[in-house]
Amino acid sequence: MGSIHRTDDELQLQALGHKGELQRNFSLLSMLGLAFAILNSWTALSSSLSLALPSGGSTSVIWGLLTAGICNLALAASLAEFLSAYPTAGGQYHWVAVITPKKWVPLASWITGWINVSGWIALTTSGGLLASQLIAGLISLFHPDFTIKPWQQYLIYVAWTLIAFVVNAFMNRLLPYVNRGAFIWSIGGFAIICITVLACASPNYASAEFVFTEFINETGWPDGISWLLGLLQGGFGITGYDAVAHMIEEIPNASVEGPKIMIYCVCIGTVTGFIFLMILLFVSGGDVNAIIESASGPLVHIVYTATNNRAGAVCLLMFPLICILFAEIAIMTTSSRMSYAFARDGGLPASKIFAKVDKRLDVPLNSLILAAGLTLLFGLIMIGSSSAFNALIAASVVALGVSYAIPIAINVCRGRKMLPARAFSLPNWLGWVANLLGLAYAIVTTVLFVFPPELPVTGSNMNYCIVAFGIILFISTIQWFVDGRKNFTGPRADMSLEVLEAMKTQTNEPQATPHTDPKLAKFGI
């Protein structure tokens, strides 16, 4: 059946207007590993505790994650329906083109594509920044008087980015194994750290009241707004599950397996993240201010407090550090595939260059270079600035959230009737609930996450997320008038009846080979 699945996958992709140029060498487990490596929720959440602790304390950390997890599960289930119907690497911008009235297809697809590409570039940048901050925190643990300079932190960032690039460019055939290893390493590290810190901290745990009900507000905003701003941490820890869509052309039996992976990774991320954060708070010592003000960062401070041993803390923190490297590799993979897909449909400047697949390496090398180059550039701008880092996290969460919401919103406005029969379909009532809940979350977070994180607003604490969006809007608008308005028509979304009929024939006659069917031969398959 494997060969039949590959035939069906290529036929379905051809019917969507594209030739399959990438190898389908990712299994269910390896793709789940990639998706989970990107989310790596327990690592991302613990490394970004500083986003939520001042904006609601423990209640924001624990219950904010649960809120973000449920809402993102609604978004993931909604997107899984699109993925099952149209399994193409373009993802959101392709889905928008399929369900939008023809008059508005080019513009709607263009906007969605640019937002999605920008979100993935921002997410790629965040991986190196988290790693450099964690390494700086470890250095501070041994040398409290040493202050790492921005150029030193940037060198760590560059090394992280280049490792991810080399693995993606020259070890493409090993990526499925790397992603399986990432999944096993992440789950194993999660279990080892949880058991170790609980054992070392016993019996000096923080109270359940501190873990589940402690509320603080150091932002200057009203309490309700402050708590909602703390959702940024949970949103960051769960976002990025559309990676499955952008890698879908490298998965066998894509329309069936893709939706499962998208939903599984959100569920696993939410559960492991909730457990890990709860344990960290129990072993933290119960002093929020000490955690926030620690020079080594919240995660390093908590693990050291629990173990009371510098060497032991470093050994345990190797797990999240390597997880961040796995995440950077997986995010760069996905970012390059998204750029490749959008360039394939003419959405980027010099699209012909970025739409090429290197035949020797079996990767879209030029798109990979683009992703790595922009990551290095943005890192140079943002390194060493906490406000820039927070703005980058907000920009990635908001951009990806908006790209999730656009196709769902269009489908809802058209009565949820725009998707054809598909392998994964929510019951109609559940589909409406998931769509509306996901849209409400996306709207609220899009508005709130561009707010300054604290009052009064100064140049150093300003949320520059809105500036980043302004730059992207400016570039995409210029590109639209220079090239897109004339040449960009959106992806080819017309499903050929003959191709679909041939697919059915292949499914019903498993003994036939692809080349024996004249309908398939007509399409060069």
Side-chain angles (χ1 to χ4, degrees):
M1 290 300 291
S3 61
I4 297 170
H5 286 157
R6 285 194 293 273
T7 300
D8 287 353
D9 290 326
E10 300 308 324
L11 284 169
Q12 192 168 14
L13 186 59
Q14 179 118 356
L16 289 167
H18 296 297
K19 177 183 177 182
E21 297 183 275
L22 301 173
Q23 298 296 316
R24 295 185 183 269
N25 55 2
F26 282 82
S27 66
L28 175 63
L29 179 59
S30 59
M31 184 53 65
L32 180 60
L34 178 136
F36 187 69
I38 289 174
L39 267 69
N40 234 315
S41 299
W42 68 270
T43 302
L45 290 164
S46 57
S47 301
S48 57
L49 278 167
S50 58
L51 296 174
L53 283 174
S55 300
S58 300
T59 61
S60 184
V61 171
I62 291 289
W63 305 117
L65 168 62
L66 197 59
T67 302
I70 292 171
C71 293
N72 275 287
L73 182 59
L75 283 170
S78 301
L79 294 180
E81 291 192 293
F82 284 91
L83 182 59
S84 184
Y86 303 107
T88 169
Q92 294 93 302
Y93 84 86
H94 197 123
W95 304 334
V96 164
V98 175
I99 65 174
T100 301
K102 287 188 177 181
K103 178 182 178 181
W104 301 104
V105 165
L107 184 59
S109 183
W110 179 274
I111 291 171
T112 307
W114 270 89
I115 291 174
N116 199 206
V117 168
S118 303
W120 275 102
I121 295 297
L123 200 61
T124 309
T125 306
S126 69
L129 290 176
L130 282 175
S132 63
Q133 286 183 349
L134 183 54
I135 292 173
L138 291 174
I139 295 172
S140 175
L141 184 64
F142 285 90
H143 304 282
D145 296 329
F146 175 77
T147 302
I148 191 167
K149 297 178 176 60
W151 68 267
Q152 294 170 323
Q153 195 172 344
Y154 184 66
L155 289 180
I156 299 171
Y157 177 88
V158 170
W160 222 250
T161 304
L162 290 180
I163 292 171
F165 173 79
V166 169
V167 172
N168 272 284
F170 303 108
M171 304 179 188
N172 182 54
R173 296 183 186 278
L174 298 179
L175 281 180
Y177 304 102
V178 171
N179 291 322
R180 291 179 197 174
F183 184 73
I184 296 168
W185 177 271
S186 182
I187 295 297
F190 163 80
I192 290 171
I193 294 177
C194 287
I195 294 170
T196 305
V197 295
L198 284 173
C200 290
S202 178
N204 301 314
Y205 300 131
S207 66
E209 181 181 2
F210 167 79
V211 173
F212 297 109
T213 64
E214 179 82 6
F215 180 87
I216 65 170
N217 180 5
E218 297 185 355
T219 65
W221 290 101
D223 288 349
I225 298 295
S226 175
W227 191 88
L228 289 172
L229 289 174
L231 282 176
L232 178 58
Q233 184 206 14
F236 175 62
I238 302 296
T239 198
Y241 40 86
D242 61 311
V244 183
H246 306 310
M247 296 294 296
I248 200 70
E249 294 176 23
E250 298 172 61
I251 309 174
N253 200 15
S255 61
V256 175
E257 302 297 346
K260 294 180 188 176
I261 299 169
M262 186 175 282
I263 293 173
Y264 289 167
C265 68
V266 175
C267 292
I268 296 172
T270 302
V271 172
T272 55
F274 185 86
I275 294 171
F276 193 71
L277 290 179
M278 181 176 62
I279 289 173
L280 284 184
L281 291 173
F282 269 116
V283 302
S284 66
D287 188 344
V288 173
N289 290 324
I291 298 171
I292 294 173
E293 296 169 4
S294 172
S296 57
L299 178 58
V300 176
H301 174 83
I302 292 173
V303 174
Y304 175 62
T305 299
T307 59
N308 198 29
N309 183 288
R310 287 189 179 90
V314 171
C315 290
L316 289 180
L317 289 168
M318 286 299 102
F319 285 103
L321 188 61
I322 300 302
C323 280
I324 294 173
L325 179 58
F326 279 131
E328 182 70 3
I329 293 169
I331 293 170
M332 190 174 289
T333 304
T334 307
S335 180
S336 66
R337 300 310 193 268
M338 175 60 211
S339 300
Y340 156 75
F342 198 41
R344 187 173 59 182
D345 287 314
L348 294 180
S351 285
K352 290 184 179 179
I353 295 175
F354 299 118
K356 289 182 179 179
V357 174
D358 188 289
K359 300 302 181 183
R360 294 171 300 169
L361 301 175
D362 283 330
V363 296
L365 185 61
N366 294 336
S367 289
L368 191 60
I369 293 172
L370 174 67
L374 289 176
T375 300
L376 291 173
L377 175 61
F378 292 150
L380 181 61
I381 297 170
M382 297 183 177
I383 204 78
S385 170
S386 60
S387 62
F389 172 72
N390 292 347
L392 176 72
I393 298 299
S396 62
V397 175
V398 170
L400 292 177
V402 170
S403 74
Y404 300 160
I406 293 175
I408 298 170
I410 295 173
N411 195 35
V412 164
C413 290
R414 305 193 74 179
R416 276 186 47 85
K417 297 177 180 177
M418 300 308 299
L419 296 181
R422 53 201 178 276
F424 176 82
S425 178
L426 295 172
N428 196 45
W429 70 270
L430 184 57
W432 277 106
V433 171
N435 292 172
L436 295 177
L437 177 59
L439 288 175
Y441 171 79
I443 292 169
V444 170
T445 53
T446 298
V447 173
L448 286 174
F449 291 170
V450 298
F451 279 26
E454 59 184 275
L455 297 176
V457 182
T458 65
S460 61
N461 67 18
M462 172 64 183
N463 187 344
Y464 291 97
C465 173
I466 194 70
V467 177
F469 269 101
I471 294 172
I472 295 300
L473 179 63
F474 176 77
I475 295 173
S476 61
T477 301
I478 294 297
Q479 178 66 10
W480 170 258
F481 283 105
V482 170
D483 179 58
R485 183 166 56 95
K486 301 175 184 177
N487 301 318
F488 184 77
T489 58
R492 286 170 51 187
D494 52 317
M495 290 287 265
S496 168
L497 294 177
E498 289 181 279
V499 173
L500 293 177
E501 183 183 345
M503 289 170 63
K504 292 178 182 177
T505 301
Q506 285 297 107
T507 302
N508 294 332
E509 299 177 13
Q511 299 302 320
T513 62
H515 297 287
T516 60
D517 194 320
K519 295 187 180 74
L520 301 183
K522 177 179 177 180
F523 289 92
I525 301 176

